[in-house]
Amino acid sequence: MRKTRNRTAVLAAAVMTLAMVTGCGTDGASVDSQAQADGSASGNSLRIGVVQMMDNGAFSDMREGYMEKLQELYPDREVEFVYENAQGDASALNTICQQMADSDLDAIATIATPASQAMVNMEIDTPVFFVAVSDPVGAGLITDMEKPDKNATGTSNAIPVEDIFALCDELTPGCETYGLLYNTSEANSVSTVEKAKEYLDSKGISYVEQVVTNSSEVQQAAQALMGQVDAVFVPNDSMIQSAMSLVTEEAREAKVPVYGSSAVMVESGAFATIAISDKEIGAMTAEMTAEYLNGTAVTDIPSIVVPASSTVINQTTADALGVTFTDDVKNSATFITETTN
């Protein structure tokens, strides 16, 4: 195991610094007060690593939510974020994680499953706080949600598969065959598709799978589904998300609704989903990081599942598909009228 800091010296410095901090009434102040009692925040500055596999709107919102919340929780301290993005390159991701492991950091935040797996597998003493991993146990990040091990904990954005298919029944009834489009190298994507297949099997509904191994295959895979399926389900898959506009272009032309797993997928042209706030899940992970910085052991910070509750619909796609909505849907859903490609 690689040591990343002298905790005894840091704790002593933190006690002296935090003894001078007073006040209450805000989130940041309440964190400071707890830190006074625990003597465990790291002085006047914090260095937090942030690792991301690739760019997309959802990951950016998660990162921003995390950073903004942590800065809010420590208003009187300098919070330095050491941010690295692998731009979709697995080799670059491993290099980034090694650099993070060798750096003097107070904590490391990892956005989504691939970055989280790469960082946790380094087996370092710096704790890892993962953001939006749909299946932390299945991904090998922890073995117990309630009592995290492997020096890691964080938030899970478990996709509400049954609710999304129920939404499909409501918005576009009569779908008899679904297309399942995903990348086999992402554990989160595979586990979500397995849940989808279990649900569809239990209902006697047929499905066609199309898998990809790189982004250049996405459009061809989407084309292969058109004409075979009545709707397409896309799990929380960063590779498909990065090429979502290609998927939705094919689907709109074929009049096939695409149900995604995040609001950003809908912003990128998918028809609808039941979503989690990406900024909120980032903020919740920042709060967990603050618990550790204020003296709570990682094993005593349970990994939490953040529920999805917001129906999000792309109005532009709905118009292209010729779908209309009941008053109940109009009053309860969030409608996006412009796509972001």
Side-chain angles (χ1 to χ4, degrees):
M1 300 286 280
R2 190 181 288 105
K3 295 292 183 183
T4 58
R5 61 186 301 108
N6 185 325
R7 287 189 172 85
T8 302
V10 171
L11 294 176
V15 170
M16 295 176 63
T17 302
L18 293 170
M20 299 185 291
V21 181
T22 59
C24 59
T26 67
D27 289 342
S30 64
V31 168
D32 288 344
S33 298
Q34 182 64 46
Q36 285 181 346
D38 294 330
S40 53
S42 54
N44 290 321
S45 64
L46 296 168
R47 294 187 79 236
I48 308 296
V50 180
V51 183
Q52 197 168 315
M53 175 59 170
M54 63 177 62
D55 281 319
N56 65 49
F59 291 178
S60 295
D61 285 349
M62 291 170 192
R63 183 183 72 247
E64 289 173 10
Y66 180 87
M67 291 180 171
E68 289 171 4
K69 187 63 177 180
L70 205 59
Q71 288 175 320
E72 175 188 328
L73 291 171
Y74 292 98
D76 299 324
R77 290 175 177 76
E78 177 186 356
V79 182
E80 177 189 355
F81 293 103
V82 181
Y83 167 61
E84 296 288 349
N85 187 327
Q87 303 296 338
D89 187 323
S91 178
L93 178 63
N94 289 330
T95 299
I96 287 168
C97 290
Q98 184 63 64
Q99 292 171 344
M100 291 282 180
D102 293 336
S103 299
D104 184 25
L105 300 169
D106 293 285
I108 299 171
T110 52
I111 309 297
T113 302
S116 300
Q117 288 177 310
M119 197 70 250
V120 170
N121 287 342
M122 299 300 297
E123 297 185 347
I124 61 174
D125 281 356
T126 305
V128 176
F129 294 86
F130 50 82
V131 184
V133 173
S134 61
D135 187 0
V137 175
L141 303 181
I142 53 178
T143 57
D144 187 335
M145 294 284 285
E146 292 298 318
K147 203 74 173 174
D149 51 2
K150 302 186 181 182
N151 204 25
T153 188
T155 50
S156 169
N157 61 334
I159 306 303
V161 170
E162 293 188 13
D163 292 341
I164 293 174
F165 283 113
L167 180 67
C168 180
D169 289 339
E170 179 182 7
L171 300 183
T172 53
C175 294
E176 297 180 354
T177 303
Y178 284 90
L180 305 176
L181 178 60
Y182 63 105
N183 164 27
T184 54
S185 67
E186 292 192 26
N188 53 293
S189 184
V190 173
S191 65
T192 302
V193 167
E194 288 303 315
K195 292 176 183 177
K197 291 194 289 188
E198 288 175 10
Y199 173 81
L200 294 172
D201 286 339
S202 72
K203 300 294 184 181
I205 301 173
S206 63
Y207 51 85
V208 178
E209 297 178 67
Q210 281 290 329
V211 300
V212 300
T213 57
N214 61 71
S215 57
S216 66
E217 300 172 352
V218 173
Q219 185 170 17
Q220 184 176 357
Q223 288 173 341
L225 288 174
M226 302 308 141
Q228 298 188 73
V229 302
D230 303 304
V232 173
F233 171 69
V234 179
N236 46 328
D237 189 305
S238 58
M239 184 177 291
I240 306 298
Q241 165 60 45
S242 68
M244 182 56 70
S245 61
L246 300 177
V247 176
T248 57
E249 179 183 343
E250 298 294 333
R252 285 179 180 179
E253 184 174 344
K255 303 293 185 184
V256 172
V258 175
Y259 289 85
S261 297
S262 71
V264 168
M265 285 188 178
V266 177
E267 291 172 1
S268 300
F271 173 50
T273 193
I274 297 178
I276 297 167
S277 167
D278 292 317
K279 292 197 76 170
E280 180 61 24
I281 201 169
M284 293 176 72
T285 313
E287 291 173 345
M288 298 171 75
T289 305
E291 287 186 60
Y292 163 75
L293 295 171
N294 294 343
T296 303
V298 173
T299 54
D300 293 329
I301 306 174
S303 180
I304 58 176
V305 178
V306 181
S309 58
S310 301
T311 298
V312 184
I313 298 171
N314 187 310
Q315 183 65 63
T316 307
T317 301
D319 292 341
L321 298 174
V323 177
T324 58
F325 305 102
T326 65
D327 289 340
D328 286 345
V329 171
K330 290 177 181 178
N331 293 331
S332 61
T334 297
F335 286 83
I336 297 169
T337 56
E338 298 291 335
T339 58
T340 304
N341 295 325

